[in-house]
């Protein structure tokens, strides 16, 4: 009996040893030095799955390692899916040989107006890429409405205490990057732009991840020639159609918008202003972006009726008027829709028939629209949108 007991114990020990060994040796998608919880983990893993970033043979990612301009260029062409293109012109750089390992990547990035050399005609492929250079590259991949130097300064100055270190030639595009949330700041370095510090692999992962999302919305003119029409998921506006660079949304189209104020029907007045917002991306059936999430529309209350006991329930009619830009200024683009809001049936009994009888008979119901409450707005007039415009940056 004792011998049998020992054999059982021995088998149990072997089983657990095997399980522990399997757990230790089980393959993991994580790099050894960037586990979940690391500040740039999500971006690193997303780009790893896409085959854009790879680690080292020892299983590490080395997120704090510096990156050369040649290495960064290869990351950019890979991220943008340009490496297989054969249609590019060659730029002569004084310090770049056709035998350089990144020669092809550098020529492709130069052709598509993403990377540039120095005014002296050098590319400096072995120099460490600086943070300001990364910002310029990300912005070069996009077709954006330019800011003035004053506008850029007013955007950046309250945020970064070392703005004086930013080269003047980079001011306007850095301001635009800040508008787009396209400037990466590591934890512990909040409030610092550090434009001349070499960028790290961890920072570049976040930058590239954000760039890919922005390029979907509006690539620069050169990238438009090789990239498919921008596709994005969202609320499909079935009735919308394209006419060249214009998108048309016909009158009668129902669009769900969020009312961004908490409004009580008892106090609402005709003419009161409100802001509506797109709660999702609006896209065509082919997933071409029409209006991005977060776009704001100015409007006013067209009808405000208080509830009166035994006679009527409250009602509010919302009408939007014009689209607003990122700073909340009127763009002058008409976006005329209307939505009707009324109280819902109150649950004072479990019997649905009595609910309706009581609700309609007693009336007098006032109600709130809570902040970001979704209402169905009906388009009163057709809207024509230029899809070549960057709706994130109107």
């Amino acid at each position: 009996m004792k011998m049998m007991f020992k054999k059982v114990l021995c088998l149990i020990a072997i089983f657990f040893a095997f399980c522990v060994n399997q757990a230790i040796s089980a393959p993991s998608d994580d790099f050894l030095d960037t586990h979940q919880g690391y500040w740039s983990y999500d971006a690193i893993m997303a780009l790893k799955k896409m085959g854009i970033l790879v680690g080292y043979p020892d299983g590490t990612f080395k997120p704090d390692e510096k990156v050369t301009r040649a290495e960064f260029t290869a990351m950019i062409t890979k991220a943008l899916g340009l490496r297989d293109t054969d249609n590019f012109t060659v730029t002569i750089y004084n310090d770049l040989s056709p035998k350089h390992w990144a020669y092809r990547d550098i020529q492709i990035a130069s052709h598509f107006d993403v990377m540039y050399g120095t005014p002296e005609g050098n590319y400096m492929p072995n120099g460490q890429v600086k943070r300001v250079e990364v910002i310029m590259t990300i912005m070069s991949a996009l077709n954006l409405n330019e800011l003035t130097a004053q506008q850029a300064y007013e955007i950046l100055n309250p945020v970064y205490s070392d703005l004086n270190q930013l080269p003047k030639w980079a001011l306007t595009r850095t301001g635009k990057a800040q508008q787009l949330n396209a400037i990466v700041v590591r934890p512990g370095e909040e409030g610092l732009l550090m434009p001349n510090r070499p960028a790290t692999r961890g920072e570049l992962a976040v930058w590239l991840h954000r760039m890919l999302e922005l390029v979907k919305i509006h690539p620069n003119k050169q990238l438009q020639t090789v990239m498919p029409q921008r596709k994005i998921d969202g609320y499909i506006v079935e009735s919308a159609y394209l006419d060249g660079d214009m998108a048309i949304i016909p009158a009668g189209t129902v669009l769900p918008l969020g009312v961004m104020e908490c409004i009580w029907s008892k106090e609402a007045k005709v003419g009161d202003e409100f802001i509506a917002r797109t709660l999702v991306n609006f896209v065509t059936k082919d997933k071409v972006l029409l209006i991005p999430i977060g776009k704001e529309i100015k409007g006013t209350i067209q009808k405000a009726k208080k509830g009166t006991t035994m006679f009527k329930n409250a009602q509010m009619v919302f009408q939007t008027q014009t689209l607003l830009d990122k700073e909340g200024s009127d763009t002058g683009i008409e976006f005329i829709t209307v939505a009707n809001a009324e109280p819902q049936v109150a649950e004072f009994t479990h019997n649905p028939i009595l609910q309706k009888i009581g609700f309609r008979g007693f009336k007098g119901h006032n109600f709130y629209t809570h902040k970001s409450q979704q209402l169905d707005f009906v388009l009163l007039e057709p809207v024509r949108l230029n899809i070549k415009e960057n709706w994130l940056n109107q």
Side-chain angles (χ1 to χ4, degrees):
M1 187 70 180
K2 286 184 178 180
M3 183 60 68
M4 180 63 72
F5 182 71
K6 287 181 180 179
K7 287 181 178 180
V8 171
L9 285 179
C10 185
L11 288 172
I12 292 173
I14 292 171
F15 174 78
F16 278 107
F18 174 79
C19 290
V20 170
N21 182 63
Q22 286 295 100
I24 292 173
S25 61
S28 171
D29 288 337
D30 288 356
F31 293 110
L32 297 177
D33 53 353
T34 51
H35 292 291
Q36 193 166 15
Y38 186 75
W39 75 275
S40 58
Y41 173 84
D42 290 343
I44 291 171
M45 297 310 297
L47 295 180
K48 180 188 177 185
K49 290 177 182 177
M50 294 161 63
I52 296 170
L53 294 181
V54 296
Y56 291 89
D58 62 359
T60 62
F61 181 75
K62 299 181 181 178
D64 295 324
E65 283 287 311
K66 309 301 186 293
V67 178
T68 67
R69 281 173 53 84
E71 290 171 333
F72 176 55
T73 306
M75 291 178 186
I76 285 289
T77 57
K78 202 171 185 180
L80 293 174
L82 300 174
R83 300 191 103 180
D84 293 333
T85 183
D86 291 320
N87 185 20
F88 60 89
T89 55
V90 173
T91 303
I92 303 299
Y93 292 110
N94 301 326
D95 57 350
L96 182 66
S97 165
K99 295 181 180 180
H100 191 282
W101 70 268
Y103 179 82
R104 179 181 169 82
D105 288 303
I106 292 169
Q107 294 299 340
I108 291 172
S110 300
H111 173 81
F112 286 100
D113 295 334
V114 177
M115 294 286 285
Y116 300 92
T118 68
E120 296 77 28
N122 297 317
Y123 194 80
M124 300 185 295
N126 300 319
Q128 292 179 338
V129 65
K130 298 177 181 179
R131 284 170 52 82
V132 66
E133 293 175 310
V134 179
I135 294 171
M136 293 302 100
T137 298
I138 303 300
M139 293 298 99
S140 295
L142 308 174
N143 190 7
L144 306 171
N145 294 331
E146 292 287 343
L147 297 174
T148 65
Q150 181 62 32
Q151 288 172 329
Y153 178 82
E154 290 173 357
I155 291 169
L156 295 166
N157 188 52
V159 182
Y160 301 107
S161 60
D162 59 347
L163 183 59
N164 61 323
Q165 296 179 21
L166 181 70
K168 290 183 179 179
W169 52 265
L171 178 62
T172 56
R173 287 198 168 184
T174 304
K176 180 61 71 172
Q178 179 66 25
Q179 261 191 344
L180 291 172
N181 189 33
I183 295 180
V184 178
V185 177
R186 294 190 302 187
E189 296 179 352
E190 291 82 359
L192 297 174
L193 186 57
M194 297 187 177
N196 300 308
R197 173 172 68 70
T200 65
R201 282 167 58 83
E203 290 173 320
L204 289 178
V206 182
W207 252 312
L208 290 174
H209 194 249
R210 293 182 186 175
M211 179 195 71
L212 290 177
E213 292 303 310
L214 292 169
V215 167
K216 286 180 185 177
I217 306 278
H218 200 77
N220 71 28
K221 291 181 179 179
Q222 281 289 79
L223 289 174
Q224 287 178 36
T225 63
V226 294
M227 295 183 71
Q229 207 169 26
R230 52 191 180 276
K231 308 289 184 180
I232 196 165
D233 291 326
Y235 176 83
I236 297 175
V237 182
E238 294 281 350
S239 59
Y241 60 94
L242 301 182
D243 181 11
D245 291 340
M246 302 302 294
I248 295 90
I249 307 178
T253 302
V254 177
L255 299 171
L257 300 173
V259 176
M260 301 313 294
E261 274 92 357
C262 181
I263 303 173
W264 190 22
S265 62
K266 194 172 183 179
E267 296 180 350
K269 296 181 179 63
V270 172
D272 284 353
E273 294 185 349
F274 71 93
I275 298 295
R277 182 180 295 169
T278 55
L279 303 177
V280 292
N281 292 311
F282 288 160
V283 300
T284 67
K285 288 183 287 188
D286 296 326
K287 295 190 175 182
V288 176
L289 179 66
L290 296 169
I291 307 175
I293 184 173
K295 194 69 179 176
E296 294 189 338
I297 309 105
K298 181 177 70 175
T300 57
I301 294 178
Q302 296 296 301
K303 185 175 183 179
K305 189 171 68 174
K306 298 177 185 178
T308 304
T309 304
M310 299 298 293
F311 289 99
K312 63 183 179 182
N313 287 327
Q315 181 189 24
M316 289 188 289
V317 176
F318 298 87
Q319 181 172 311
T320 63
Q321 295 157 349
T322 54
L323 291 169
L324 303 178
D325 63 17
K326 196 173 182 67
E327 285 71 43
S329 300
D330 197 328
T331 63
I333 300 174
E334 291 188 346
F335 195 85
I336 303 175
T337 68
V338 65
N340 182 50
E342 295 178 332
Q344 300 300 309
V345 174
E347 293 187 11
F348 59 87
T349 174
H350 293 294
N351 188 311
I353 297 176
L354 292 179
Q355 282 184 26
K356 292 182 180 180
I357 293 173
F359 184 77
R360 293 171 181 169
F362 290 101
K363 297 188 177 183
H365 296 277
N366 286 293
F367 64 98
Y368 285 95
T369 59
H370 58 77
K371 188 172 183 179
S372 75
Q373 179 173 332
Q374 180 177 304
L375 296 176
D376 286 334
F377 283 76
V378 179
L379 199 59
L380 298 183
E381 297 180 10
V383 173
R384 292 176 61 85
L385 307 172
N386 188 332
I387 59 174
K388 290 273 185 181
E389 296 289 336
N390 189 315
W391 285 96
L392 288 178
N393 304 283
Q394 286 289 328

